Amino acid sequence: MSYTQREEQVRESIEVRKPVAWAKIQQTDQRVKEGKSIALLQLQYRYVCNEVCKHCAIERFKVNLEGRKLTPADVKDIADQAHEYGLFSICISGGEPLIFHDLEQVIDAIGPERFILSMDTNGLALSQHEIKWLVTKGVDRIHLSIDGLQENHDEFRHEEGAWQHNIDMLPYCKQYGLGVVVNIVATKDLVRSREIEEQLEFIQKFGFHASLIYAKPVGNFEEAGDQVLNKKDFAYLETLTKKYNCSTHLTPAYGRDVGCLCFKRHFSILPNGKVLPCPWLPISMGNVLEEKLETIITGSLMNPWFSWKHKHTCHSGNQDSYFYKNVVSQLDELHDLFGYPVDWKLLNWHFEYFRKSSTKITEKGS
């Protein structure tokens, strides 16, 4: 198994600082052979936020959030189940975690010594004090949103000065040892204008990794189908991963090229316990407040669209893909009729696609 220099540094750091998490990471090869998940669990704990972003994926979740909401006690139960199952990575998300009134209780409930613990943040509430505090609480890294250069980011986030504030926080992250992955939403406009390359050039000098997130037609971006990428755009972004310290969701990581990450390397839990294949695929595969996490993961991995047996392009961010054209296209009507996210049992999954395909390598990068 071959690793990049960055991946080697991350592994060495976790081995020293978090031996419990490291012990689980050592079981990764065996878990993959057994068809088990090695996913990052993204916990969308609350939807309170201090920005109103053009691309926000949670807007419809916020107005369709039925049932009881997660508590720190629920978080502990979920984290305990994740640990027992063998997952080693949890990301606290929202909303904006830095303004959660009970963020400390959530972190403690997870048990940061057991996991690589990360946090999604728009950065607006970051300060030198907050960065130092996150490190002392066992948070390993933040996923910091910086979309394009200053004008594009501030306009995208409806917040003047937001871009400069996030840039100003980067040296403090380095000073206190808080890892940073810079999240860049790769829209059609950003790709066509090549501004994304200008941003990557700028980010390089800070020494942090950038994650190029494909624009998805969900939440506030539901009507922005013209911003969704195609296979040509995907190929272009992969060329950037060879030139800059960056990756996409399809870039091989830690020696593995798995294609779409759903349930293999990523899934999300909403504030009401519903489990999604990824943050941008509003399909409920179950609810952790009603059934065991392992049951939901195991059942989902039996779906050929998510299983280890097949390797797909991004299901929700590639307008050329079969899944996007035939499964994602059903969601708007089903959401209007039955609620948001749609229950997986209501979908036509088009499994005939797999009966036609004679190869396990399916639509990778196309």
Side-chain angles (χ1 to χ4, degrees):
M1 194 71 68
S2 60
Y3 305 107
T4 66
Q5 181 180 0
R6 169 182 168 267
E7 290 169 345
E8 287 284 9
Q9 291 171 345
V10 171
R11 287 170 62 85
E12 291 171 4
S13 174
I14 295 300
E15 182 178 7
V16 172
R17 295 185 298 104
K18 294 190 172 181
V20 176
W22 176 250
K24 290 184 286 184
I25 292 172
Q26 295 299 96
Q27 301 302 313
T28 297
D29 290 345
Q30 184 60 35
R31 293 181 65 80
V32 173
K33 289 178 183 177
E34 295 173 359
K36 294 182 177 179
S37 176
I38 55 171
L40 176 149
L41 186 167
Q42 187 207 46
L43 182 67
Q44 296 181 12
Y45 180 69
R46 287 285 181 271
Y47 286 152
V48 294
C49 196
N50 52 0
E51 286 190 341
V52 182
C53 304
K54 279 188 175 182
H55 68 297
C56 182
I58 65 169
E59 280 306 302
R60 285 189 69 176
F61 291 130
K62 288 164 68 174
V63 299
N64 290 273
L65 202 60
E66 300 175 348
R68 81 173 183 86
K69 310 305 183 291
L70 297 176
T71 66
D74 294 320
V75 172
K76 183 180 186 308
D77 182 56
I78 292 167
D80 288 347
Q81 290 185 56
H83 175 64
E84 184 177 348
Y85 177 70
L87 298 182
F88 52 81
S89 186
I90 291 181
C91 176
I92 302 170
S93 190
E96 173 50 55
L98 285 174
I99 64 172
F100 294 168
H101 70 89
D102 53 356
L103 177 59
E104 184 167 17
Q105 294 97 303
V106 171
I107 292 173
D108 292 342
I110 289 171
E113 71 282 355
R114 303 184 294 177
F115 299 94
I116 300 174
L117 184 58
S118 56
M119 191 180 75
D120 292 333
T121 179
N122 59 41
L124 199 60
L126 271 181
S127 66
Q128 182 178 2
H129 171 78
E130 288 290 335
I131 291 167
K132 187 176 181 180
W133 179 81
L134 288 171
V135 173
T136 63
K137 293 300 298 182
V139 175
D140 298 290
R141 69 173 183 263
I142 56 172
H143 304 143
L144 181 64
S145 298
I146 304 179
D147 295 301
L149 298 175
Q150 185 165 4
E151 182 178 355
N152 184 76
H153 178 94
D154 289 359
E155 194 267 337
F156 206 53
R157 305 243 162 208
H158 297 113
E159 188 72 42
E160 186 176 353
W163 182 87
Q164 187 60 56
H165 172 77
N166 284 1
I167 297 301
D168 291 343
M169 291 301 105
L170 292 176
Y172 292 126
C173 292
K174 183 151 288 191
Q175 177 182 343
Y176 293 108
L178 181 62
V180 176
V181 172
V182 175
N183 280 353
I184 304 171
V185 177
T187 64
K188 199 80 161 178
D189 286 346
L190 206 58
V191 168
R192 285 173 177 169
S193 69
R194 297 300 192 255
E195 182 180 328
I196 197 166
E197 291 197 51
E198 295 179 50
Q199 183 184 1
L200 289 169
E201 287 280 3
F202 180 80
I203 293 297
Q204 287 280 101
K205 65 183 180 182
F206 295 98
F208 292 122
H209 187 79
S211 176
L212 309 181
I213 300 174
Y214 310 128
K216 320 291 198 311
V218 295
N220 283 344
F221 242 33
E222 281 185 351
E223 306 303 320
D226 61 328
Q227 292 300 313
V228 179
L229 307 181
N230 57 29
K231 62 182 180 182
K232 183 178 179 180
D233 301 320
F234 274 40
Y236 163 68
L237 291 180
E238 287 305 319
T239 67
L240 299 185
T241 69
K242 309 296 191 298
K243 185 177 180 181
Y244 301 102
N245 180 19
C246 68
S247 61
T248 73
H249 288 166
L250 296 181
T251 305
Y254 294 94
R256 287 189 174 79
D257 182 6
V258 304
C260 169
L261 306 182
C262 291
F263 281 107
K264 289 179 277 190
R265 301 202 74 146
H266 198 122
F267 66 89
S268 300
I269 298 178
L270 306 188
N272 58 3
K274 291 184 178 181
V275 180
L276 309 186
C278 86
W280 306 281
L281 204 54
I283 302 169
S284 175
M285 305 300 294
N287 192 313
V288 290
L289 297 178
E290 300 169 0
E291 53 191 316
K292 291 294 185 183
L293 179 62
E294 182 174 358
T295 301
I296 298 171
I297 295 173
T298 301
S300 298
L301 285 171
M302 293 176 67
N303 184 321
W305 290 111
F306 307 139
S307 82
W308 287 102
K309 294 180 181 179
H310 300 275
K311 187 162 55 178
H312 303 279
T313 185
C314 176
H315 287 324
S316 58
N318 184 347
Q319 62 180 241
D320 291 334
S321 77
Y322 187 93
F323 190 93
Y324 187 93
K325 293 176 180 177
N326 293 279
V327 181
V328 172
S329 61
Q330 303 171 47
L331 294 179
D332 278 348
E333 182 178 357
L334 289 172
H335 289 154
D336 291 340
L337 291 172
F338 301 106
Y340 196 93
V342 67
D343 188 288
W344 69 272
K345 294 185 286 294
L346 298 173
L347 280 167
N348 174 0
W349 288 92
H350 287 275
F351 291 135
E352 71 276 4
Y353 174 79
F354 298 94
R355 292 191 288 273
K356 297 175 184 176
S357 176
S358 60
T359 176
K360 291 184 178 181
I361 308 299
T362 312
E363 285 199 321
K364 175 64 176 73
S366 67

